[in-house]
């Protein structure tokens, strides 16, 4: 009997269901149904901690390739709190190990982003067999060229910029589109290029408001009626980037904005004679059906996870490198982020086409 536990953790994204379907189809293609048991843990690590699961069969994974969200539900269980007992004094790590051993599991398949991978690695260190899959719209997981969810989110963010374009051309306004990504700017970068934004602000490239104002004014002088600024949630000014974490927190407490788009809108409105409007697609970027690229990637990664399980090769994340699916050790993945490199070709090329990053 092969007993597999499966869970989705952290913020959801498109293609989580498609990835789980890939795993399960891969397993059932090689094993007799009567020799497999699938335990679906509810709401991420919470389900594993509190032994909240449902038994699933291949039928449960049928018809979900195109369905957004996750059939298992998900939740954020911060890694830094994993070693902190819950409100009833329960040791969460011990509880997860207990559930795993009580159910006699052979392995856990864990779908998640950065925080999820830190906990997955912790469980590996604690002796559990773990295979992981890289999900996140942020595309910031180290060890894989691409995460599933990213391309779908870029499609949605691009669509927002496209729609803003038509209304922007009718008015003499600056439009600020806020795009998800607190620590990395992959979605904002790709959506800005795909949507033809004029300015894009990323966490990795601190901006100077004078440069932004200058770019807006130059467009106006050139007879352009509008400017579209794509701003990642974590965009930061050069001035603020020099502050320590503590100093920045203090500053933000003094004048807090609902989000970065509002801060940027206030700065731009003060410094130009143009009207400013904000558009925030927010969680729509994680919603809806996965795009075909994500369906293919997640299915491949899921099938590769099934193969790893059948090989008895654990402790790895399934990643994609140069279009090949690879097994990347969790010890290497955990705790590392894949940032946008300010000196990379894509940034240089975007600058060549006239996109301003607000830095020079
Ligand atoms: O990590 C994925 C992500 O969508 C980020 O891009 C975004 O900053 C964050 O999650 C939002 O988190 P929540 O869904 O908890 O508000």
């Amino acid at each position: 009997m092969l007993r597999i536990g499966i869970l989705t953790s952290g913020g959801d994204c498109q293609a989580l269901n498609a990835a789980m379907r890939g795993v399960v189809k891969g397993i059932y293609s090689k094993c007799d149904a009567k020799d497999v048991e699938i335990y679906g843990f509810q709401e991420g690590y919470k389900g594993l901690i509190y032994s909240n699961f449902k038994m699933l069969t291949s039928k449960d994974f049928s018809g979900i390739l195109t369905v957004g969200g996750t059939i298992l539900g998900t939740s954020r269980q911060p890694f830094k709190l994993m070693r902190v007992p819950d409100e009833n004094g329960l040791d969460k790590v011990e509880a997860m190990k207990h559930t795993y051993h009580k159910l006699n599991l052979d392995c856990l398949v864990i779908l998640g982003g950065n925080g999820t991978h830190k906990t997955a690695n912790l469980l590996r260190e604690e002796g559990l067999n773990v295979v992981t899959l890289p999900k996140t719209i942020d595309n910031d997981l180290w060890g894989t060229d691409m995460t599933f969810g990213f391309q779908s989110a870029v499609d949605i963010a691009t669509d927002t910029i496209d729609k803003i374009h038509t209304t922007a051309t009718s008015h003499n306004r600056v439009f600020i589109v806020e795009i998800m990504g607190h620590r990395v700017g992959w979605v904002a970068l790709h959506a800005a290029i795909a949507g033809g934004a004029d300015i894009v602000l990323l966490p990795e490239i601190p901006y100077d408001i004078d440069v932004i104002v200058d770019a807006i004014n130059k467009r106006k002088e050139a007879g352009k009626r509008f400017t579209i600024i794509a701003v990642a949630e974590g965009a930061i000014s050069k001035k603020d980037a020099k502050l320590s974490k503590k100093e920045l927190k203090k500053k933000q407490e003094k004048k807090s904005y609902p989000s970065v788009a509002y801060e940027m809108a206030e700065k731009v409105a003060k410094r130009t004679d143009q009207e400013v409007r904000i558009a925030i697609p927010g969680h729509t970027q994680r919603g809806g059906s996965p795009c075909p690229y994500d369906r293919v990637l997640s299915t491949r990664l899921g099938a590769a996870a099934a193969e790893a399980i059948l090989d008895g090769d654990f402790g790895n994340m399934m990643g994609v490198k140069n279009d090949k699916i690879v097994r990347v050790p969790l010890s290497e993945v955990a705790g590392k982020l894949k940032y946008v490199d300010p000196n990379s070709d894509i940034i240089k090329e975007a600058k060549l086409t006239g996109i301003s990053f607000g830095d020079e």
Side-chain angles (χ1 to χ4, degrees):
M1 181 65 72
L2 179 62
R3 294 187 182 87
I4 302 173
I6 188 160
L7 63 89
T8 55
S9 172
D12 76 337
C13 73
Q14 301 89 344
L16 278 165
N17 289 327
M20 291 193 276
R21 171 183 172 273
V23 178
V24 171
K25 277 195 177 280
I27 294 289
Y28 281 105
S29 74
K30 298 276 186 209
C31 302
D32 207 297
K34 67 174 181 357
D35 297 329
V36 182
E37 279 178 4
I38 312 253
Y39 296 75
F41 292 101
Q42 309 284 286
E43 294 180 32
Y45 288 119
K46 220 193 230 177
L48 191 58
I49 297 169
Y50 300 106
S51 198
N52 187 10
F53 61 87
K54 53 182 175 187
M55 301 296 299
L56 302 167
T57 67
S58 62
K59 266 195 199 147
D60 294 295
F61 297 89
S62 209
I64 61 170
L65 173 65
T66 61
V67 180
T70 158
I71 57 166
L72 296 179
T74 186
S75 66
R76 289 197 188 276
Q77 299 291 316
F79 173 71
K80 62 176 184 220
L81 296 182
M82 277 301 177
R83 290 282 185 198
V84 179
D86 78 356
E87 58 280 11
N88 298 315
L90 181 79
D91 181 325
K92 294 172 201 150
V93 177
E94 283 309 313
M96 287 192 281
K97 284 164 64 183
H98 178 74
T99 304
Y100 181 96
H101 293 302
K102 181 187 75 181
L103 298 176
N104 240 323
L105 296 180
D106 292 293
C107 68
L108 277 173
V109 179
I110 298 175
L111 291 77
N114 272 294
T116 301
H117 274 81
K118 288 192 221 168
T119 300
N121 188 44
L122 171 71
L123 294 177
R124 179 196 64 81
E125 286 168 349
E126 291 288 328
L128 308 193
N129 291 332
V130 177
V131 174
T132 69
L133 292 172
K135 74 86 224 186
T136 168
I137 67 160
D138 294 333
N139 193 29
D140 59 354
L141 266 171
W142 191 92
T144 183
D145 290 344
M146 196 61 74
T147 59
F148 55 83
F150 171 67
Q151 296 288 352
S152 303
V154 169
D155 280 2
I156 295 162
T158 303
D159 185 54
T160 304
I161 298 177
D162 287 350
K163 293 206 166 89
I164 289 295
H165 248 117
T166 62
T167 171
T169 50
S170 324
H171 294 275
N172 206 359
R173 283 175 176 164
V174 173
F175 277 89
I176 297 170
V177 182
E178 183 178 294
I179 295 174
M180 275 189 166
H182 267 115
R183 296 205 281 170
V184 301
W186 289 111
V187 183
L189 174 63
H190 282 247
I193 296 173
D198 308 297
I199 299 172
V200 57
L201 308 175
L202 310 180
E204 294 92 336
I205 307 181
Y207 66 81
D208 178 341
I209 189 65
D210 291 338
V211 176
I212 295 170
V213 169
D214 200 45
I216 295 170
N217 289 339
K218 279 206 178 108
R219 279 182 60 78
K220 201 177 172 198
E221 279 155 33
K224 309 267 169 107
R225 290 172 55 79
F226 66 91
T227 297
I228 296 179
I229 306 177
V231 55
E233 288 170 317
I236 187 165
S237 69
K238 285 188 179 180
K239 229 165 124 191
D240 286 353
K242 284 191 190 126
L243 300 176
S244 67
K245 258 192 186 171
K246 213 171 154 193
E247 288 168 328
L248 186 61
K249 208 172 159 211
K250 216 168 154 196
K251 186 174 171 187
Q252 285 166 342
E253 275 163 11
K254 250 191 204 162
K255 184 149 198 188
S256 66
Y257 297 90
S259 70
V260 69
Y262 290 85
E263 181 182 354
M264 187 51 53
E266 187 180 290
K267 285 180 178 170
V268 171
K270 261 191 198 155
R271 302 279 303 275
T272 66
D273 58 357
Q274 298 203 35
E275 266 187 84
V276 183
R277 293 290 186 272
I278 290 170
I280 305 181
H283 285 78
T284 66
Q285 290 162 98
R286 298 211 313 239
S289 185
C291 68
Y293 180 96
D294 278 337
R295 295 180 199 179
V296 174
L297 177 64
S298 56
T299 300
R300 289 183 68 194
L301 290 165
E307 210 171 22
I309 293 167
L310 296 172
D311 287 349
D313 185 13
F314 301 110
N316 298 306
M317 175 186 83
M318 301 300 115
V320 59
K321 283 268 172 202
N322 301 321
D323 204 36
K324 284 252 168 295
I325 303 296
V326 288
R327 297 175 186 175
V328 194
L330 281 174
S331 55
E332 288 176 24
V333 175
K336 285 191 215 147
L337 279 181
K338 184 180 73 190
Y339 292 102
V340 174
D341 174 0
N343 299 311
S344 56
D345 288 353
I346 189 168
I347 299 289
K348 282 183 209 150
E349 290 142 7
K351 284 187 175 176
L352 271 176
T353 62
I355 299 181
S356 167
F357 286 77
D359 61 328
E360 55 185 18

